[in-house]
Amino acid sequence: MTSVQHAQLLLSAEKLSKQYGSFFALRDVSLNLHAGEFVAVMGENGAGKSTLMKILAGMELATSGVVRVLADETLRVAKGRDLESAVAIVPQEIDLAEDRSIAQNIYMGNEPGHRWFPSARKLNVQAAELLARIGSPLDARQRVGDLDSASKQMVLIARALARESQIVIFDEPTANLSPRESESLFEVIQSLQSDGVGILYVSHRIPEVMRLSDRIEVLRDGSHSGSWPTSSTDEGQVVNSMVGRELDLLTRLEPYSQRGTSKLSIKDLRIDGIGPINLDVYEGQVVGIAGLPDSGREELLRGIYGAEGEVSGSIGVNGAEIVKADIREAVQAGVVYLPGERRAAGIFPTMSVKSNISSLVASRYTRFGLMRSSKLAAVAEEYAKAVNVRAASLDLPITSLSGGNQQKALIARLLATEPQVMLLDEPTRGVDVGAKSEVYSVISELTRKGMAVLLSSSDLPELLGQCHQILVMFRGEIVATLEASQTTEEEIMAYATMGHAIKETA
């Protein structure tokens, strides 16, 4: 945290509103940011955070209100391109040129050297220096399309820093990062603050906000609902301001004792260098998978679902073996998969909310090539209601929804198939505490009805609170099987980072 009492004002937003028809996404929101200050902006999904950040970054125009930024030692009214040049943003959704190198993505449109003849050597050298600054071991010459989601997030951060702006917006920057990568990012942010850079930080991870921020601003339903110096508030007050009700997300499940029917049985599974993997998930059980981003946990879920290339070994569902790792056969057997990267691999961005939810069951309501639209609409309505998707209309594009509501729409899509086994990869990534609570309630209700859930997450409190058992992966293998009610974050991280428990010293 920094002292900003006498620091220079970098940005002033006054009474910003954003209206779509009769709907206000943002209403009369004001905000100031000083040099070296870390301001956290919090709120449920749909509260208006992303809309506010897009306006401040010049990506959208406000319907009313004014933004001023520091220019030539004077606060000047700015919008559009003026803001784009003054404010750098690390977006939540990954938006990179997949077929280009890391260095080319970092300096796209701002390549070193002559405008018509940029220097490839300087490009790679400068990109490598930026990557080293944020503690990333990535090779600047590597193709972005070959990276995992955590590495792509580091590229986005490096790209924003390359702008050398006095104001940087971070939108859920640690959602894809391991604890070690997050700590490296925090050190970079603190270095930026020391250089007088103002930080606007959107996150649903309350502990990191309480630790790092100087001030917390809370939005609810598009309006300002709370503002405090961080030292003057606590987690409970912040959550209450966000959702208007108290939430308990940290309770733990009772130990699983049924051991009835094995819904999912994996024997000697090998997936492109991962394995052998052996595990069982029983009726009504939630089994968590912990591990660093490169541990193989994402590939494991994709392999079970038939989306990860060559697979050997045995995959059994309800006692029947899936003959080949194939998505269609997996779905027919009652296995569904929620990908961790919803924009790249989850939603159909050109389709409506209704069509996204009903897409997996469309064939059930098609006869002689004709789709029964009314039936599909009823299915979408039923499952959207079941998980509380908040949308003015299910006919709107799914991209018009907040990130949390997009995630809930994807869960509704899976539920519409009436599955037996759910494979969930980062089910609450980028989701606010209110939506998290709703997702957890859905999972709890499904397991009460006998569904088996395999849940991969980088959120350790989530694994501890929502799982009966936790499997820890390290370098492609399961190195520990832990009962969630008896383990700790420290024990999980020891296995995830070293492959073994911490050895006690005499």
Side-chain angles (χ1 to χ4, degrees):
M1 298 183 186
T2 59
S3 175
V4 296
Q5 186 175 358
H6 303 294
Q8 191 166 28
L9 188 61
L10 297 179
L11 178 146
S12 175
E14 300 172 11
K15 291 188 173 297
L16 294 181
S17 294
K18 182 65 176 181
Q19 189 172 1
Y20 299 95
S22 60
F23 172 71
F24 277 90
L26 208 63
R27 189 192 294 267
D28 292 334
V29 172
S30 298
L31 178 121
N32 289 332
L33 179 68
H34 296 81
E37 186 179 21
F38 186 127
V39 175
V41 180
M42 307 192 73
E44 291 193 271
N45 286 101
K49 305 184 304 298
S50 293
T51 301
L52 176 60
M53 295 304 114
K54 287 176 182 177
I55 291 172
L56 296 181
M59 299 164 67
E60 288 191 11
L61 294 176
T63 305
S64 61
V66 64
V67 181
R68 292 182 173 87
V69 294
L70 186 68
D72 301 324
E73 301 301 317
T74 305
L75 280 178
R76 301 180 185 275
V77 175
K79 58 183 178 181
R81 290 187 179 276
D82 294 333
L83 282 172
E84 284 183 14
S85 62
V87 181
I89 184 169
V90 180
Q92 178 181 343
E93 302 294 351
I94 293 173
D95 181 20
L96 295 167
E98 298 275 318
D99 60 340
R100 300 208 178 181
S101 72
I102 292 173
Q104 288 171 325
N105 270 274
I106 290 174
Y107 285 102
M108 190 173 292
N110 191 32
E111 294 85 353
H114 191 277
R115 178 182 178 185
W116 300 110
F117 303 102
S119 170
R121 187 185 65 81
K122 286 185 179 179
L123 182 76
N124 290 325
V125 168
Q126 291 182 15
E129 291 173 351
L130 264 181
L131 292 169
R133 181 182 178 189
I134 61 176
S136 173
L138 293 171
D139 184 339
R141 298 164 296 182
Q142 190 173 356
R143 180 178 173 272
V144 162
D146 297 329
L147 304 178
D148 59 24
S149 55
S151 298
K152 290 178 180 177
Q153 186 73 27
M154 299 302 278
V155 176
L156 288 175
I157 293 166
R159 185 177 70 180
L161 298 185
R163 297 270 307 278
E164 298 183 349
S165 301
Q166 279 297 100
I167 301 165
V168 181
I169 296 173
F170 292 90
D171 191 354
E172 294 289 350
T174 60
N176 294 321
L177 303 184
S178 69
R180 184 180 301 166
E181 289 167 330
S182 295
E183 288 300 323
S184 294
L185 172 62
F186 298 155
E187 290 177 8
V188 171
I189 289 175
Q190 289 168 346
S191 173
L192 291 173
Q193 290 180 262
S194 298
D195 292 338
V197 175
I199 306 295
L200 286 171
Y201 193 89
V202 177
S203 178
H204 296 118
R205 297 189 174 184
I206 295 178
E208 69 185 37
V209 164
M210 300 299 294
R211 168 188 163 192
L212 299 168
S213 66
D214 299 302
R215 186 158 48 88
I216 298 174
E217 305 286 345
V218 179
L219 301 182
R220 187 168 74 221
D221 298 328
S223 299
H224 224 143
S225 67
S227 176
W228 316 269
T230 306
S231 59
S232 301
T233 188
D234 57 35
E235 294 185 5
Q237 185 177 29
V238 173
V239 171
N240 288 340
S241 184
M242 288 170 63
V243 301
R245 61 192 186 279
E246 292 189 9
L247 297 171
D248 185 2
L249 301 176
L250 301 178
T251 57
R252 297 200 186 189
L253 301 180
E254 292 295 322
Y256 185 81
S257 58
Q258 293 176 233
R259 289 289 185 266
T261 305
S262 176
K263 287 275 190 177
L264 177 67
S265 183
I266 305 298
K267 305 295 182 188
D268 295 323
L269 192 70
R270 297 177 186 271
I271 310 160
D272 192 23
I274 295 169
I277 301 294
N278 293 280
L279 65 87
D280 284 282
V281 188
Y282 293 88
E283 182 177 333
Q285 186 183 29
V286 183
V287 174
I289 305 178
L292 301 182
D294 61 355
S295 64
R297 55 188 175 86
E298 179 182 351
E299 291 82 357
L300 173 59
L301 264 61
R302 287 175 53 81
I304 295 171
Y305 189 60
E308 192 61 30
E310 290 297 318
V311 174
S312 64
S314 170
I315 302 173
V317 180
N318 283 332
E321 185 175 349
I322 295 179
V323 179
K324 59 180 180 177
D326 175 84
I327 293 176
R328 179 172 295 181
E329 189 172 352
V331 172
Q332 289 175 346
V335 179
V336 291
Y337 167 62
L338 180 73
E341 188 52 58
R342 63 173 171 265
R343 182 169 290 272
I347 65 171
F348 301 124
T350 61
M351 294 167 61
S352 67
V353 180
K354 176 176 67 181
S355 296
N356 266 272
I357 293 174
S358 61
S359 59
L360 293 181
V361 296
S363 60
R364 296 182 187 177
Y365 304 105
T366 302
R367 294 189 65 185
F368 309 114
L370 297 176
M371 194 174 293
R372 298 165 64 188
S373 299
S374 60
K375 195 68 178 176
L376 287 172
V379 169
E381 189 75 38
E382 175 186 352
Y383 288 98
K385 186 176 180 180
V387 297
N388 194 25
V389 175
R390 297 173 187 168
S393 168
L394 297 186
D395 291 317
L396 289 172
I398 193 165
T399 51
S400 68
L401 302 186
S402 66
N405 280 299
Q406 289 179 19
Q407 191 78 331
K408 288 190 285 184
L410 291 180
I411 294 173
R413 177 202 293 173
L414 303 186
L415 296 182
T417 68
E418 300 177 346
Q420 298 291 313
V421 177
M422 292 186 79
L423 310 174
L424 306 179
D425 186 16
E426 303 286 2
T428 61
R429 174 185 288 166
V431 169
D432 64 76
V433 290
K436 264 189 182 182
S437 180
E438 291 169 352
V439 171
Y440 295 158
S441 294
V442 169
I443 294 172
S444 178
E445 180 62 26
L446 293 173
T447 54
R448 275 197 292 269
K449 293 178 179 178
M451 188 178 296
V453 177
L454 191 59
L455 190 160
S456 170
S457 179
S458 57
D459 188 335
L460 297 186
E462 176 169 275
L463 291 172
L464 289 167
Q466 303 306 314
C467 301
H468 298 98
Q469 187 180 74
I470 299 171
L471 310 178
V472 187
M473 293 189 68
F474 178 75
R475 294 179 179 174
E477 296 183 359
I478 294 173
V479 294
T481 300
L482 308 171
E483 295 302 315
S485 60
Q486 299 171 14
T487 190
T488 63
E489 290 189 35
E490 289 77 13
E491 183 177 26
I492 294 171
M493 282 308 301
Y495 280 110
T497 56
M498 300 184 295
H500 57 77
I502 298 173
K503 294 183 174 67
E504 294 187 9
T505 56

